[in-house]
Amino acid sequence: MSKKILIVDDSAAIRQMVEATLKSANYQVVLAKDGQEALDICKGQGFDFVLTDQNMPRMDGITLIKSLRTMSAFMRTPIIVLTTEAGDDMKNQGKAAGATGWMVKPFDPQKLLAITAKVLG
């Protein structure tokens, strides 16, 4: 059974590129357009891995991570932030919120697949 991954990004183009990359490696993918939609989805189902943008309307990535880490089903789920934010201050905020890692856009599909395989062990 393939691993289930939640992709959270307000950019439809980014969601489609990440989805195509992960589906090419036979991962099951669910899409959300912002942190609030992702949180609503996560209240009904679990995921093996969450990949989220930082800057989104309604709820940003760090707030989403903080919210997910309070839910027992997501306390140990790998969460990677995929964002244009490259500053150390923002990365530290993500780490403090419980992010597993940080990737800066634009992403390299092969690097994304390698990181996904690594966090899914």
Side-chain angles (χ1 to χ4, degrees), residues 11 15 21 29 52 60 77 80-81 85-86 88 100 116:
S11 166
R15 286 193 309 269
T21 299
V29 173
T52 182
D60 63 40
T77 302
I80 300 285
V81 179
E85 298 281 350
D88 287 340
T100 308
T116 301

Side-chain angles (χ1 to χ4, degrees), residues 69-80:
R69 291 301 188 210
T70 66
M71 301 166 63
S72 60
F74 291 92
M75 292 179 80
R76 297 181 188 272
T77 302
I79 303 174
I80 300 285

Side-chain angles (χ1 to χ4, degrees), residues 36-48:
Q36 185 60 56
E37 182 178 25
L39 190 59
D40 292 343
I41 290 170
C42 289
K43 289 178 181 172
Q45 58 186 306
F47 290 90
D48 299 297

Side-chain angles (χ1 to χ4, degrees), residues 44-65:
Q45 58 186 306
F47 290 90
D48 299 297
F49 174 39
V50 176
L51 186 67
T52 182
D53 188 13
Q54 164 51 22
N55 299 315
M56 299 178 285
R58 298 201 309 157
M59 181 185 291
D60 63 40
I62 289 176
T63 303
L64 172 63
I65 294 167

Side-chain angles (χ1 to χ4, degrees), residues 16-28:
Q16 290 171 350
M17 287 189 289
V18 173
E19 178 183 32
T21 299
L22 295 175
K23 281 188 169 180
S24 74
N26 297 316
Y27 292 112
Q28 183 182 352

